[in-house]
RNA sequence: GGGCGCGUAGCUCAGCGGGAGAGCACUGCCUUCACACGGCAGGGGUCGCUGGUUCAAUCCCAGCCGCGCCCA
């Protein structure tokens, strides 16, 4: 016996364990079914489940569960990535609490500590994914730093290096002075902030009484200035180009050059050039052979390349001192308040310092070309399509990808150096040693590059490294390329772009044919969820409160393409109520001994009401399949919600109550079976969205095996019956009309009244006879009969050709009835006027498609019939 | 500055060339034998503004106003 409400917490764990035990999630490389592959973008091993995860994994899970049911051999490849900076920071903080630094214990011991931590807490996110009901093939779970993935990384690095697509270069990088590592452009957040523009006077070499004024937002960088740029067309400075200024506080002689980079409108029109500390200056400096003077150490303190007075100062202290010193020297002309963006590291939160270092780069431009073409030619398609623009824009302007990081946690770069700096890039130390020995002609000591690779380098290989590449495994052959990559737009650059580049280069094929970009989950007011704002909703809290199914269904129902999700707890509550509704429908079926019979043949149903619900089910199945196939998850959720609540519960279960208790045993028996059968089919359709409650009900009703591996309903269309739909639609409309009149006329809910019908067609008479009991029950009637007369003071309505007459003269307030009829007539007349106007328009008749014209004619006729009947009813009232 | 997107019922959003929809909220009635996490009925919208295309525009196009995001 089912309990009064669904207790999610009580059954979720059990069903999940049963699925895993039964191997329901497992891909089967030996299967003859068509493979369907989703590569789970690996979450950070340090992470814990947030709303974004909940959405993205719910969507992936729906696709995978659906495809399993529709006859595919599915591989949903799970795993985690090692999240270089994030993970290293966590462990460093733990050590710092004990006053230990990583340098103090050394690389080997430190990395060991991280592995220990990973063993301890690395399972958090995966266990939370289980709580969400995600069904990836856990047996195949991978980690970006496990042996196979690491081998793939080494091989890729070596191969790309041999082709010249990976190289070492001295360039400016985004340096995080807190974490002491280079970071990617994508890990830099531009923060809008208030700042100042300081105007400095730099004296001219040949006439120290004259100055050129430069404006800067970063005075401390002047210590590294090696030039001044002005616009070639700027009349103010034309005579100064080619001359020299003397850098104050330093005394260096620096050239004044003409370069279009300088904007005459901005500041003074003259810009100081610090090629070692600004990306734009770096480019200008290259064009004019300006010196690159690095004035910072790795902590962004002034180094030995600056005058002694400033050495050792932190960059912000140096700024204050320089401003003070310039002012004292009379060289500070003015200070302007400005609004500008300042780059910050998204992990450390500190200001990023553009810094000149030796780093490893990947030639992303070359790798991007085929990746761009693959999307242009449709080998990979974005859904929604508009995201292609974002992808193209980034890929076409891609910069060399800095892949080295000054961390200890990650894939150590497979490059070794000889005593003279010669580089040996090989997959193993032995191979590098052999190469070095051969190079030097004698056994020579080599040392390995200290740095590790960007985490995204290994994530880029995920679609094939997890399948065993570079080995030619059956899995690689079968599951590559994958079908769809599901992710948020903010990750297009991180995953999509890089997986595309590496996949095409090493596999010769795109890694996935579709990229589905879903929304971001925001709070109910549309603000991004963040810890500092305190508006974070924890999916695990919601799961605990309302159940996993309710959370999943909420996210699905709100996952409309191209729009962010503004999530409020009340929505989850609303869909929790939906699970309760479904649960109670099942409880009702159970109480009425509606038992599941797998052999029930929907095509053989004889009762109109059963043929009708089967037809509605068939339409729902079609809608849900179409919606999931088209990544329109909200449509799938909507169709199921409407069918289960609005059709099955609100109407079907009510329609069939008189049959169940009626005298026709055969009809009752068929209806019992149909009730259970339709419920079980609906549960099957709902299963990908709400896996737990559906599995629970499936077993409660004795469904064979587990619902997760039960095939999607098939052949429903053949059982659909348009006549049954038309008939029950008429019944619904009749009942609704009677109820509506009763309510408006304040007929007490408990009062049973008579219903008279006039002018019925033969078909209506038949429909009435077949559904008499149901109509009496649901419209709360005493009796229904046909009539030719309209009793005095009766209340009237219309359904199609027939008049609805409720002889309740004794309780009717005539004035109220007049108001009701006039209101209805008003609406009808409005409609009729619009249709009349349209149909009397010559161009409409001649240019609109014939079926549209015909449809409008029919509608007009229907509305007029109804209007005439109501008008007559109103006249009769007036005559009283 | 460049790009993308959004302005539809009180709120959150579907719809996107031919009769304005949903959920929640709201109002009234109902302790009807599955469900008050419920049932029945109902109110509420010049579909941001202005033009254009069309027989027909919430839907397509242009401009404007307002809002958001991404990139410089």
């Amino acid at each position: 016996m089912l309990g009064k409400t669904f207790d999610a917490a009580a059954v979720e764990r059990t069903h999940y364990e049963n699925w895993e035990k039964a191997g329901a999630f497992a891909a089967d490389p030996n299967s003859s079914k068509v493979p369907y592959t989703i590569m789970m973008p690996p979450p950070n091993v340090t992470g814990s489940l947030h709303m974004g995860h909940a959405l993205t994994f719910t969507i992936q899970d729906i696709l995978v569960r659906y495809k399993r049911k529709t006859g595919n051999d599915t591989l949903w490849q799970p795993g985690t990535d090692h999240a270089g900076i994030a993970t290293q920071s966590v462990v460093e903080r733990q050590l710092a609490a004990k006053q230990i630094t990583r340098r103090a214990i050394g690389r080997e011991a430190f990395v060991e500590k991280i592995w220990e931590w990973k063993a301890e807490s690395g399972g958090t996110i995966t266990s939370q994914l289980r709580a969400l009901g995600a069904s990836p093939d856990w047996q195949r779970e991978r980690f970006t730093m496990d042996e196979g993935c690491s081998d793939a990384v080494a091989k890729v690095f070596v191969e790309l290096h041999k082709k010249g697509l990976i190289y070492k270069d001295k360039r400016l990088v985004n340096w995080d002075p807190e974490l002491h590592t280079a970071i990617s452009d994508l890990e830099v957040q531009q923060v809008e902030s208030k700042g100042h523009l300081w105007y400095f006077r730099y004296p001219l070499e040949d006439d120290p009484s004259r100055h050129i004024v430069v404006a800067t937002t970063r005075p401390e960088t002047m210590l590294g200035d090696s030039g001044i740029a002005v616009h070639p067309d700027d009349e103010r400075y034309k005579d100064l180009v080619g001359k020299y200024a003397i850098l104050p506080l330093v005394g260096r002689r620096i050239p004044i050059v003409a370069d279009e980079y300088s904007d005459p409108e901005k500041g003074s029109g003259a810009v100081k050039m610090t090629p070692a500390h600004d990306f734009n200056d770096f480019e200008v400096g290259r064009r004019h052979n300006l010196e690159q003077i690095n004035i910072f150490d790795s902590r962004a303190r002034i180094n030995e390349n600056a005058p002694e007075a400033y050495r050792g100062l932190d960059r912000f202290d140096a700024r204050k001192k320089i401003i003070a010193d310039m002012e004292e020297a009379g060289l500070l002309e003015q200070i302007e308040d400005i609004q500008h963006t300042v780059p910050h590291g998204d992990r450390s939160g500190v200001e990023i310092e553009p810094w000149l270092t030796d780093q490893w780069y990947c030639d992303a431009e070359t790798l991007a070309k085929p990746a761009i073409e693959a999307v242009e030619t449709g080998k990979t398609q974005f859904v929604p399509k508009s995201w292609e623009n974002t992808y193209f824009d980034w890929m076409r302007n891609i910069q060399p990808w800095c892949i080295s990081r000054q961390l200890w946690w990650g894939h150590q770069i497979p490059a070794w150096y000889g005593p003279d700096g010669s580089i040996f890039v090989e997959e193993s130390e032995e191979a590098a040693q052999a190469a070095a020995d051969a190079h030097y002609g004698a056994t020579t000591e080599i040392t390995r590059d200290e740095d590790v690779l960007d985490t995204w380098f290994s994530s880029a290989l995920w679609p094939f490294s997890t399948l065993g590449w570079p080995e030619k495994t059956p899995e690689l052959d079968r599951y590559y390329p994958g079908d769809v990559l599901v992710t948020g737009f903010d990750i297009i650059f991180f995953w999509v772009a890089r997986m595309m580049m590496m996949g095409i280069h090493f596999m010769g094929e795109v890694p996935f044919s579709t990229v589905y970009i879903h929304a971001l989950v925001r709070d109910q007011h549309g603000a991004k969820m963040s810890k500092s704002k305190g508006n974070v909703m924890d999916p695990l809290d919601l799961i605990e409160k309302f159940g996993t199914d309710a959370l999943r269904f909420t996210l699905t129902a709100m996952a409309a393409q191209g729009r962010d999700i503004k999530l409020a707890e009340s929505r989850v509550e609303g869909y929790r109520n939906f699970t309760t509704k479904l649960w109670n429908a099942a409880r009702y079926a159970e109480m009425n001994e509606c038992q599941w019979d797998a052999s029930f043949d929907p095509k053989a149903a004889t009762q109109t009401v059963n043929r009708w619900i089967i037809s509605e089910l068939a339409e729902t199945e079609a809608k849900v399949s179409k919606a999931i196939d088209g990544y329109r998850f909200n449509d799938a959720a909507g169709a199921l919600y409407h069918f289960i609540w609005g059709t099955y519960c609100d109407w079907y279960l009510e329609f069939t109550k008189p049959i169940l208790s009626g005298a026709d045993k055969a009809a009752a028996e068929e209806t019992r079976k149909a009730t259970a059968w339709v419920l079980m089919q609906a549960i099957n359709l709902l299963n990908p969205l709400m896996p737990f409650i559906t599995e629970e009900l499936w077993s409660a009703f004795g469904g064979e095996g587990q619902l997760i591996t039960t095939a999607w309903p098939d052949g429903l269309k053949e059982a659909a019956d348009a006549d049954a739909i038309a008939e029950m639609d008429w019944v619904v409309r009749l009942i609704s009309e009677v109820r509506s009149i009763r309510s408006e006329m304040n007929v007490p809910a408990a009062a049973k009244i008579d219903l008279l019908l006039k002018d019925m067609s033969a078909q209506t008479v038949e429909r009435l006879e077949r559904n008499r009991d149901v109509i009496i029950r649901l419209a709360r009637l005493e009796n229904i009969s046909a009539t030719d007369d309209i009793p005095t003071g009766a209340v009237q309505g219309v359904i199609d050709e027939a008049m609805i007459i409720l002889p309740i003269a004794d309780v009717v307030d005539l004035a109220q009835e007049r108001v009701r009829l006039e209101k209805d007539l008003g609406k009808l007349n409005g409609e009729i006027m619009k249709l009349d106007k349209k149909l009397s328009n010559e161009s409409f008749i001649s240019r609109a498609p014939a079926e549209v014209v015909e449809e409008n004619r029919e509608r007009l006729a229907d509305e007029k019939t109804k209007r005439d009947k109501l008008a007559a009813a109103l006249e009769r009232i007036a005559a009283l």
Side-chain angles (χ1 to χ4, degrees):
Chain A
M1 197 56 194
L2 296 171
K4 199 172 175 184
T5 54
F6 172 57
D7 184 354
V11 303
E12 287 178 357
R13 182 176 292 272
T14 310
H15 283 306
Y16 197 90
E17 283 170 3
N18 289 341
W19 293 330
E20 255 195 292
K21 246 184 270 164
F25 304 164
D28 176 9
N30 299 315
S31 161
S32 58
K33 295 173 177 175
V34 177
Y36 179 83
T37 309
I38 295 184
M39 287 290 162
M40 173 189 293
N44 290 354
V45 69
T46 47
S48 58
L49 196 77
H50 57 62
M51 270 308 166
H53 288 132
L55 173 67
T56 197
F57 294 130
T58 295
I59 289 173
Q60 290 172 50
D61 194 49
I62 288 170
L63 287 168
V64 165
R65 284 175 181 269
Y66 169 70
K67 288 293 178 179
R68 245 182 231 130
K69 287 177 166 296
T70 54
N72 292 90
D73 165 35
T74 59
L75 170 61
W76 186 12
Q77 172 66 52
T80 49
D81 89 24
H82 62 278
I85 298 181
T87 310
Q88 173 160 330
S89 304
V90 169
V91 177
E92 267 193 292
R93 274 200 297 277
Q94 287 171 355
L95 290 179
K98 294 183 231 163
Q99 258 81 49
I100 305 170
T101 66
R102 67 179 159 110
R103 307 231 172 249
I105 60 170
R107 182 166 190 149
E108 206 172 317
F110 180 69
V111 169
E112 188 56 38
K113 287 250 179 260
I114 302 184
W115 278 108
E116 279 169 26
W117 179 85
K118 191 240 165 199
E120 222 172 274
S121 2
T124 303
I125 185 99
T126 52
S127 72
Q128 290 170 333
L129 276 173
R130 287 175 165 90
L132 188 68
S135 63
D137 189 349
W138 289 117
Q139 295 294 315
R140 297 175 184 274
E141 181 180 350
R142 299 297 296 272
F143 177 54
T144 46
M145 271 175 65
D146 67 24
E147 205 178 319
C149 289
S150 300
D151 289 349
V153 165
K155 189 169 177 69
V156 163
F157 188 94
V158 172
E159 284 198 15
L160 289 177
H161 180 260
K162 293 215 153 90
K163 287 185 181 160
L165 294 171
I166 281 181
Y167 54 91
K168 211 168 179 185
D169 197 5
K170 194 182 203 77
R171 294 174 59 93
L172 280 184
V173 294
N174 296 300
W175 184 261
D176 189 316
E178 174 75 26
L179 301 172
H180 299 123
T181 179
I183 61 173
S184 138
D185 290 349
L186 300 170
E187 292 162 311
V188 175
Q189 300 301 324
Q190 298 297 337
V191 179
E192 187 83 16
S193 50
K194 279 183 195 161
H196 305 283
L197 207 49
W198 284 273
Y199 289 72
F200 288 160
R201 297 192 190 106
Y202 286 7
L204 296 181
E205 180 192 35
D206 50 11
D207 181 1
S209 67
R210 284 184 65 196
H211 299 89
I212 181 163
V213 176
V214 296
T216 180
T217 56
R218 304 197 54 203
E220 66 278 14
T221 62
M222 73 163 291
L223 300 175
D225 281 0
S226 60
I228 294 169
V230 296
H231 195 277
D233 301 334
D234 195 332
E235 292 301 330
R236 292 173 295 179
Y237 301 114
K238 245 181 180 156
D239 62 316
L240 296 182
V241 173
K243 296 192 167 160
Y244 288 82
I246 300 298
L247 184 62
L249 312 183
V250 178
R252 185 159 51 237
R253 179 174 174 266
I254 58 175
I256 299 166
V257 301
D259 194 283
E260 302 205 332
Y261 164 70
S262 180
D263 180 358
E265 307 288 313
K266 235 162 116 183
S268 63
V271 198
K272 64 192 242 357
M273 287 292 124
T274 322
H277 296 290
D278 182 283
F279 287 96
N280 290 311
D281 294 5
F282 181 82
E283 294 302 327
V284 176
R286 276 205 167 169
R287 288 197 284 271
H288 300 278
N289 280 320
L290 300 180
E291 209 182 338
Q292 296 171 345
I293 304 162
N294 182 0
I295 56 150
F296 288 128
D297 67 12
S298 70
R299 290 169 197 273
R301 291 175 309 205
I302 305 297
N303 69 13
E304 69 284 356
N305 294 331
E308 200 161 351
Y310 303 98
R311 288 180 200 165
L313 286 180
D314 170 81
R315 51 186 167 165
F316 300 110
D317 295 333
R319 178 179 299 179
K320 282 182 207 147
K321 182 165 168 59
I322 284 166
I323 293 165
D325 292 350
M326 288 295 280
E327 185 164 23
E328 201 181 306
L331 298 173
L332 175 61
E333 185 163 290
Q334 59 157 317
I335 305 172
E336 191 183 322
D337 291 336
I338 55 156
Q339 193 77 20
H340 63 154
T341 56
V342 180
H344 286 69
D346 66 358
R347 290 280 168 201
S348 65
V350 303
E351 283 187 28
I352 288 304
E353 200 59 58
W355 203 45
L356 203 55
T357 55
D358 286 311
Q359 301 282 349
W360 288 91
Y361 287 90
C362 178
D363 180 356
E365 197 182 334
T366 300
L367 292 174
K369 282 204 174 89
I372 292 166
E373 198 190 307
V375 174
E376 283 170 342
T377 56
K379 281 181 200 149
T380 294
Q381 294 182 329
F382 278 78
V383 178
K385 200 172 190 312
S386 53
W387 289 110
E388 282 180 1
N389 296 330
T390 306
Y391 173 84
F392 284 140
D393 189 56
W394 193 70
M395 289 294 249
R396 285 172 183 151
N397 297 299
I398 200 161
Q399 296 297 305
W401 173 16
C402 175
I403 51 174
S404 44
R405 296 289 182 272
Q406 287 62 53
L407 304 172
W408 287 351
W409 176 242
H411 301 99
Q412 193 170 355
I413 290 173
W416 284 261
Y417 301 98
D420 61 350
S422 296
I423 303 176
F424 305 95
V425 172
E426 298 294 343
E427 282 179 52
S428 67
E429 177 144 25
E430 295 73 47
Q433 187 67 59
D437 294 352
H439 174 81
Y440 293 111
T443 302
T444 309
E445 200 182 332
I446 54 173
T447 53
R448 186 165 187 175
D449 194 305
E450 294 260 305
D451 292 348
V452 300
L453 288 163
D454 180 7
T455 306
W456 301 100
F457 191 86
S458 48
S459 307
L461 316 182
W462 190 254
F464 51 94
S465 66
T466 52
L467 297 174
W469 186 92
E471 302 298 318
K472 288 195 185 336
T473 61
E475 281 84 355
L476 189 64
D477 188 45
R478 181 170 174 76
Y479 300 111
Y480 190 98
D483 289 85
V484 57
L485 185 85
V486 176
T487 188
F489 73 85
D490 49 335
I491 246 66
I492 289 176
F493 312 129
F494 287 111
W495 269 312
V496 180
R498 284 163 183 172
M499 286 178 176
M500 288 287 284
M501 292 194 277
M502 293 300 194
I504 293 171
H505 188 84
F506 286 95
M507 295 297 297
E509 275 185 278
V510 294
F512 23 73
S513 48
T514 301
V515 177
Y516 176 66
I517 301 292
H518 60 244
L520 245 47
V521 184
R522 301 175 175 279
D523 75 3
Q524 56 192 308
H525 307 295
K528 218 169 179 168
M529 289 187 189
S530 74
K531 277 182 195 153
S532 55
K533 276 188 216 140
N535 61 348
V536 175
M537 295 172 79
D538 183 347
L540 297 164
D541 287 349
L542 292 171
I543 284 173
E544 199 180 328
K545 209 162 167 189
F546 302 112
T548 300
D549 290 327
L551 175 65
R552 288 172 58 116
F553 198 86
T554 306
L555 292 170
T556 309
M558 297 181 80
Q561 284 185 9
R563 196 188 275 261
D564 285 345
I565 294 177
K566 290 182 201 163
L567 189 63
E569 193 173 300
S570 60
R571 298 303 297 258
V572 189
E573 189 182 356
Y575 290 117
R576 186 278 315 272
N577 295 350
F578 173 58
T579 64
T580 307
K581 186 72 183 178
L582 171 64
W583 185 259
N584 277 291
R587 208 158 70 100
Y588 163 84
E590 187 186 46
M591 285 171 169
N592 285 280
E593 292 168 345
C594 301
Q595 280 158 5
W596 163 241
D597 177 356
S599 68
F600 176 82
D601 179 7
K603 289 190 286 297
T606 60
Q607 300 294 302
T608 306
V609 70
N610 293 333
R611 299 185 66 74
W612 166 73
I613 196 66
I614 290 161
S615 306
E616 292 284 345
L617 173 74
E619 285 190 5
T620 304
E621 185 279 319
K623 280 184 206 161
V624 173
S625 296
K626 191 179 165 207
I628 298 177
D629 287 334
Y631 304 99
R632 307 185 69 93
F633 300 99
N634 57 318
D635 287 348
L640 286 162
Y641 187 96
H642 282 116
F643 175 75
I644 290 170
W645 198 322
T647 304
Y648 184 80
C649 291
D650 284 350
W651 291 106
Y652 179 73
L653 294 184
E654 299 301 331
F655 284 158
T656 51
K657 280 175 183 171
I659 302 179
L660 295 185
S661 57
D664 187 338
K665 294 296 169 211
E669 188 51 27
E670 177 188 297
T671 301
R672 284 204 166 79
K673 286 187 177 175
T675 299
W677 186 85
V678 171
L679 178 68
M680 291 290 260
Q681 304 307 311
I683 279 170
N684 194 359
L685 297 178
L686 185 60
N687 178 249
L689 282 70
M690 289 190 163
F692 292 107
I693 188 174
T694 52
E695 191 73 69
E696 176 69 12
L697 290 174
W698 183 259
S699 69
F701 275 77
E704 199 188 330
Q706 293 181 319
L707 182 54
I708 186 173
T709 43
T710 299
W712 193 249
D714 187 30
L716 295 178
K717 221 182 293 167
E718 287 94 81
D721 177 354
D723 291 341
I725 290 183
E727 177 161 328
M728 296 318 292
D729 174 62
W730 175 84
V731 175
V732 166
R733 283 187 292 120
L734 175 60
I735 293 167
S736 299
E737 183 64 19
V738 174
R739 281 173 172 173
S740 178
I741 295 172
R742 287 179 61 123
S743 176
E744 282 181 61
M745 298 311 293
N746 297 317
V747 175
K752 299 224 166 154
I753 59 176
D754 283 345
L755 167 63
L756 303 175
L757 287 161
K758 187 171 168 292
D759 306 335
M760 283 188 286
S761 68
Q763 186 189 44
T764 301
V765 171
E766 280 171 31
R767 283 174 170 175
L768 173 63
E769 288 318 312
R770 276 198 294 265
N771 299 282
R772 173 177 289 272
D773 291 351
V774 158
I775 297 165
I776 285 179
R777 183 184 176 107
L778 297 188
R780 316 202 122 256
L781 300 173
E782 184 61 42
N783 192 23
I784 308 177
S785 44
T787 184
D788 289 328
D789 314 309
I790 298 171
T792 308
V795 179
Q796 297 159 69
V798 177
I799 178 162
D800 300 338
E801 83 291 351
M803 289 293 299
I804 294 170
I805 300 153
L806 298 175
I808 45 175
D810 44 336
V811 299
V812 168
D813 173 342
L814 284 181
Q816 195 182 356
E817 170 67 351
R818 192 174 299 120
V819 169
R820 187 183 72 84
L821 289 172
E822 278 167 354
K823 196 183 84 182
D824 284 1
L825 273 171
K827 276 189 194 163
L828 282 169
N829 280 326
E831 271 305 299
I832 289 166
M833 261 169 61
K834 263 169 42 184
L835 288 166
D836 250 338
K837 196 176 158 200
K838 204 175 214 179
L839 285 162
S840 56
N841 181 343
E842 264 315 307
S843 348
F844 174 69
I845 304 292
S846 57
R847 299 202 181 203
E851 63 268 26
V852 172
V853 176
E854 185 50 31
E855 189 195 320
N856 278 277
R857 284 209 173 105
E858 278 170 23
R859 236 167 58 210
L860 179 61
D862 289 350
E863 302 283 31
K864 275 185 170 162
T865 308
K866 194 166 181 188
R867 192 260 320 265
D868 293 346
K869 286 175 186 289
L870 286 185
L874 187 59
E875 267 174 46
R876 278 189 289 273
I877 298 253
L880 288 175

